């Protein structure tokens, strides 16, 4: 098997790791003095108000008054406290007893003193409400409460850039819960405008800190994995490190652009490290050597409901020109050379490279405008030239489509697609790894089945669990009769009609049967991964839960739907 195929399976198995000492996962705020700053800021105005209040009460109880007979009297401390309370709070019920001029002068002074005190306190409070430390403390507390209220499996997504945003959208559409951490306030605020179906806990913080991951629910038993998709490779390394050390066994997938950092990540045995520059070279070689396999894999992984792409015309060796920057140039060149291509590396700063004798042209500078200009010039020079373009941002996706580029590489999109393929339906990724190691004819057969049953669109996936909990009706039938994969995929509305679904993987006792034949019998412990139209998945759901539908697809007999009629039919004497 070629080195390219080995690359796809490179992260399938974890490396050996040392035994780790159990450590409590911290969940304290990275800056725990925010609340104390608030208390300190309010201490001075509160002390001032309390002092003014105490002096006012003391003075009013000491200054003598006069009763109706002209005798000197004094307000009790409680009476003075009562009067100052409603006077200082601007309620103003009036005098308890007729005051003397001295008492009224003292009350006047107290009123002005308390007004100054209240103005001082209210001003300080308003300033606190607008301070970043107070708002961060409130946001953190709200974030903690949202995470603790999650009572179902969820993922921690570190980074809400282009890749993280696409992953979160697809997770939301799939009904999966997740928590988001990002350094950027703008990205966190964008979550509220992305019209996600669920209320997503999101925090502006440094995901590389273990305490932040702890607050995001790393210690929560419902946390099933972490996605390190930030724009900083070092931060992603820190996330991988914290996850594998603090909670061993938790699934973690990381994005990485730097080969050195990628090797450091491998020491902590994450489930996968996705280096888009390195991966693209493998995909490009796959497209050239086995175009049907590439078309199938990319179509199944792409979340958009596009038609099945036509396979590329194979390029029989020849020379290639790579005009790119940095590691992307090195990775693509290395992959093409391992595939037997003669590669010429051109510097983008030298202008338009000579492609007159080339079979293919790869352009991948850091500037999308430059990439499109170089690609268009190459197409003008050679209309039959195979052109591959790196697209840094999806902001110019319409221009790329208009130029009709043969192969487009968007790093963030590749990271998102592979991450989703691994976490939404993990069994699906095992099919991808299997498919890329098979001959081109294997993919051609799957494409033919997909086209026959689903047309060129429809690629939603569902894992059919044939246990009593997952498919009660099918399970009850399998306890006393047989069912085949093909029968399960029959329409409950018309047994002669095949649902727009195709089986990809059958799991039995830990063994994976890829692209199972429809004549394969199933058991009560099997799991079946299917792909196709949503309408087919809805119809299959009916078969899973309806005893009448299960019996109909198995025998073709229409049976009563209700439990009473089924009982009456079962005990009816034979004619």
């Amino acid at each position: 098997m070629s080195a390219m195929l080995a690359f796809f399976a490179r992260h399938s198995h974890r490396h050996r790791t040392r035994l780790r000492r159990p450590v409590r996962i911290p969940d304290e705020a990275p800056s725990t003095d925010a609340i104390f700053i608030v208390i300190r800021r309010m201490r001075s105005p509160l002390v001032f108000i309390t002092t003014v209040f105490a002096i006012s009460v003391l003075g009013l109880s000491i200054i003598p008054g006069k009763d109706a007979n002209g005798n000197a009297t004094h307000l009790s401390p409680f009476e003075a406290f009562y009067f100052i309370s409603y006077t200082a709070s601007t309620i103003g019920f009036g005098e308890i007893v007729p005051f003397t001029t001295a008492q009224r002068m003292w009350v006047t002074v107290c009123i002005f003193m308390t007004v100054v005190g209240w103005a001082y306190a209210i001003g300080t409070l308003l300033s606190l409400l607008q301070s970043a430390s107070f708002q961060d403390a409130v946001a953190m507390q709200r974030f903690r409460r949202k995470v603790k209220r999650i009572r179902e499996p969820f993922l921690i997504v570190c980074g809400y850039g282009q890749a993280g945003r696409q992953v979160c959208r697809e997770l939301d559409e799939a009904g999966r819960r997740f928590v988001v951490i990002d350094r950027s306030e703008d990205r966190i605020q964008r979550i509220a405008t992305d019209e996600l179906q669920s209320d997503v806990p999101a925090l502006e913080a440094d995901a590389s800190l273990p305490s932040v991951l702890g607050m995001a629910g790393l210690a929560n038993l419902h946390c099933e994995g972490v996605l390190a998709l930030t724009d900083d490779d070092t931060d992603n390394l820190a996330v991988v490190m914290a996850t594998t050390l603090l909670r061993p066994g938790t699934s973690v997938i990381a994005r990485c652009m730097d080969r050195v950092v990628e090797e450091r990540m491998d020491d902590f045995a994450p489930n996968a490290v996705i280096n888009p520059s390195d991966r693209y070279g493998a995909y490009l070689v796959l497209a050239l050597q086995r175009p049907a396999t590439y078309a199938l894999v990319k179509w199944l992984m792409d979340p958009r409901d596009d038609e099945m792409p036509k396979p590329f015309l194979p390029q029989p060796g020849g020379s290639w020109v790579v005009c790119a920057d940095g590691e992307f140039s090195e990775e693509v060149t290395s992959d093409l050379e391992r595939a037997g291509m003669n590669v010429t590396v051109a510097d983008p700063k030298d202008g338009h490279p000579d492609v007159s004798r080339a079979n293919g042209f790869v352009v991948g500078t850091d500037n999308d405008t430059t990439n499109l200009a170089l690609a268009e010039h190459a197409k003008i020079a050679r209309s039959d030239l195979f052109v591959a373009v790196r697209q840094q941002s999806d902001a110019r996706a319409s221009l790329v489509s208009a130029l009709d580029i043969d192969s487009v590489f968007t790093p963030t999109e590749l990271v998102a697609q592979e991450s989703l393929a691994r976490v939404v339906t993990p069994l699906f990724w095992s099919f991808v790894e299997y498919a890329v190691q098979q001959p081109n004819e294997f993919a051609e057969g799957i494409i033919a089945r997909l086209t026959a049953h689903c047309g060129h669109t429809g690629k939603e996936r569902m894992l059919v669990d044939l246990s009593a909990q997952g498919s009660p009706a099918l399970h009850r039938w399998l306890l006393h009769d047989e069912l085949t994969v093909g029968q399960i995929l029959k329409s409950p509305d018309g047994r002669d009609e095949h649902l727009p679904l195709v089986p990809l993987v059958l799991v039995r006792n830990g063994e994976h049967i890829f692209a199972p034949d429809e004549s394969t019998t199933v058991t009560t412990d099997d799991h079946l991964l299917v792909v196709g139209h949503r309408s087919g998945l809805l119809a299959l759901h009916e078969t899973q839960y309806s005893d009448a539908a299960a019996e109909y697809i198995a025998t073709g007999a229409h049976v009563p739907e209700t439990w009473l009629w089924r009982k009456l039919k079962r005990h009816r004497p034979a004619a």
Side-chain angles (χ1 to χ4, degrees):
M1 196 62 61
S2 69
M4 183 273 295
L5 299 182
F7 171 82
F8 274 92
R10 183 167 61 181
H11 299 294
S12 301
H13 306 285
R14 289 190 164 209
H15 300 165
R16 294 182 59 187
T17 57
R18 298 188 299 113
L19 293 177
R20 310 294 187 188
R21 184 177 65 181
V23 178
R24 186 187 73 85
I25 300 177
D27 61 354
E28 299 84 8
S31 179
T32 56
D33 59 350
I35 300 300
F36 297 101
I37 292 176
V38 173
I39 295 175
R40 284 199 299 268
R41 291 277 299 276
M42 288 300 297
R43 181 174 56 189
S44 296
L46 289 177
V47 169
F48 182 78
I49 290 179
T50 303
T51 302
V52 169
F53 201 88
I55 293 174
S56 300
V57 172
L58 179 63
L60 190 59
S61 61
I62 292 176
I63 298 175
K66 290 183 179 181
D67 59 14
N69 299 323
N71 299 320
T73 60
H74 289 84
L75 294 178
S76 67
F78 176 76
E79 290 174 330
F81 173 79
Y82 174 67
F83 178 80
I84 292 298
S85 295
Y86 67 69
T87 301
S89 61
T90 69
I91 296 176
F93 286 151
E95 297 177 354
I96 301 177
V97 295
F99 283 175
T100 62
T101 301
Q103 288 176 314
R104 289 170 178 163
M105 290 180 62
W106 177 251
V107 169
T108 301
V109 173
C110 292
I111 290 174
F112 284 105
M113 290 174 60
T114 54
V115 167
V116 172
W118 282 118
Y120 178 30
I122 293 174
T124 304
L125 180 61
L126 293 176
S127 176
L128 277 175
L129 294 177
Q130 298 176 358
S131 66
S133 60
F134 179 78
Q135 292 178 356
D136 289 345
V138 172
M140 202 166 293
Q141 187 64 31
R142 187 183 301 115
F143 176 78
R144 285 174 180 269
R145 288 197 301 268
K146 285 185 177 181
V147 172
K148 289 181 178 179
R149 283 199 294 263
I150 299 178
R151 294 292 183 268
E152 57 187 299
F154 68 93
L155 296 162
I156 300 175
V157 180
C158 304
Y160 198 70
Q162 290 187 41
R165 190 180 185 188
Q166 182 174 337
V167 166
C168 290
R169 283 178 175 175
E170 297 302 321
L171 289 175
D172 186 65
E173 289 186 8
R176 301 286 293 274
R177 296 298 304 275
F178 54 92
V179 175
V180 176
I181 308 171
D182 197 289
R183 290 176 181 266
S184 171
E185 180 182 1
D186 293 338
R187 290 180 177 178
I188 293 299
Q189 292 179 349
R190 188 188 303 165
I191 293 177
T193 62
D194 277 349
E195 299 181 356
L196 300 176
Q197 299 176 16
S198 59
D199 184 15
V200 179
L203 180 66
E204 177 194 350
D206 183 0
S208 65
L209 298 177
S211 57
V212 172
L213 290 174
M215 285 190 297
L218 183 60
N220 193 317
L221 295 178
H222 296 290
C223 177
E224 60 180 357
V226 180
L227 300 178
L229 304 178
T230 72
D231 299 329
D232 190 301
D233 287 348
T234 304
D235 284 352
N236 292 336
L237 171 61
V239 172
V240 170
M241 186 186 306
T243 303
T244 56
L245 292 181
L246 298 178
R247 192 177 172 187
T250 302
S251 174
V252 56
I253 298 173
R255 167 189 178 179
C256 185
M257 299 292 291
D258 189 288
R259 177 57 65 86
V260 175
V261 178
E262 181 181 357
E263 293 174 353
R264 293 171 181 169
M265 286 183 182
D266 287 339
D267 291 335
F268 293 93
N271 291 72
V273 179
I274 304 173
N275 185 334
S277 296
D278 198 4
R279 301 291 277 185
Y280 176 69
Y283 281 116
L284 180 59
V285 172
L286 182 66
L288 300 174
Q289 293 183 339
R290 286 180 290 131
T293 303
Y294 173 79
L296 174 65
V297 169
K298 290 297 291 180
W299 183 76
L300 289 175
M301 289 175 56
D302 193 340
R304 293 168 296 195
D305 193 21
D306 295 337
E307 291 189 0
M308 174 79 71
K310 294 181 179 180
F312 297 124
L313 294 177
Q315 299 293 318
S319 62
W320 280 67
V321 176
V322 175
C323 184
D325 296 324
E327 290 192 7
F328 176 75
S329 175
E330 297 174 4
E331 299 288 358
V332 173
T333 300
S334 176
D335 288 326
L336 289 174
E337 287 178 342
R338 283 201 299 267
M341 310 291 184
N342 180 22
V343 183
T344 300
V345 179
D347 191 338
K349 298 178 182 178
D350 295 338
H352 299 291
D354 181 13
V355 296
S356 58
R357 298 182 179 180
N359 293 79
F361 177 54
V362 180
V363 54
T365 71
D366 293 331
N367 187 287
D368 284 346
T369 302
T370 301
N371 293 339
L372 295 179
L374 289 171
E376 179 65 8
H377 184 83
K379 277 289 188 181
I380 293 174
R382 285 274 309 278
S383 60
D384 60 338
L385 184 68
F386 185 97
V387 176
V389 172
R390 178 170 69 169
Q391 180 183 335
Q392 291 293 99
S393 170
D394 56 5
R396 294 180 175 84
S398 58
L399 301 180
V400 175
S401 299
L403 287 176
D404 193 22
I405 303 299
D406 296 300
S407 177
V408 180
F409 164 56
T410 306
T412 55
E413 185 174 297
L414 188 149
V415 171
Q417 289 179 1
E418 287 209 8
S419 300
L420 288 166
R422 294 172 185 272
V423 301
V424 174
T425 312
L427 187 58
F428 170 70
W429 183 252
S430 68
F431 174 80
V432 172
E433 291 184 315
Y434 177 81
V436 298
Q437 299 181 60
Q438 302 307 306
N440 202 53
E441 292 73 19
F442 173 82
E444 291 175 346
I446 299 294
I447 292 175
R449 294 172 69 179
L450 284 167
T451 304
H453 297 307
C454 309
H456 291 277
T457 60
K459 50 185 173 182
E460 296 200 31
R461 303 186 293 269
M462 185 173 77
L463 183 62
V464 182
D465 178 8
L466 295 176
S467 67
Q469 294 75 26
S471 304
L474 292 175
H475 183 84
R476 284 189 288 267
W477 181 265
L478 288 170
L479 290 176
H480 58 81
D481 281 297
E482 287 187 350
L483 271 178
T484 65
V485 172
Q487 288 175 318
I488 292 177
L489 300 182
K490 295 295 184 182
S491 172
D493 297 325
R495 190 168 178 265
D496 295 334
E497 180 184 350
H498 193 288
L499 291 177
L501 300 173
V502 172
L504 295 183
V505 188
L506 178 65
V507 181
R508 176 175 299 165
N509 298 325
E511 179 186 358
H512 290 53
I513 303 173
F514 296 98
D517 189 86
E518 295 197 357
S519 62
T520 305
T521 57
V522 296
T523 67
T524 55
D525 297 324
D526 289 351
H527 292 75
L528 181 65
L529 177 65
V530 297
V531 61
H533 281 295
R534 178 181 292 270
S535 60
L537 299 181
L538 294 175
L540 180 55
H541 188 269
E542 178 184 348
T543 305
Q544 291 177 269
Y545 288 88
S546 170
D547 290 298
E551 185 168 344
Y552 172 70
I553 63 159
T555 65
H558 292 279
V559 296
E561 292 284 351
T562 65
W563 174 86
L564 177 60
W565 280 107
R566 290 179 65 83
K567 285 292 185 182
L568 291 174
K569 179 182 177 183
R570 180 176 300 177
H571 296 290
R572 185 175 60 188

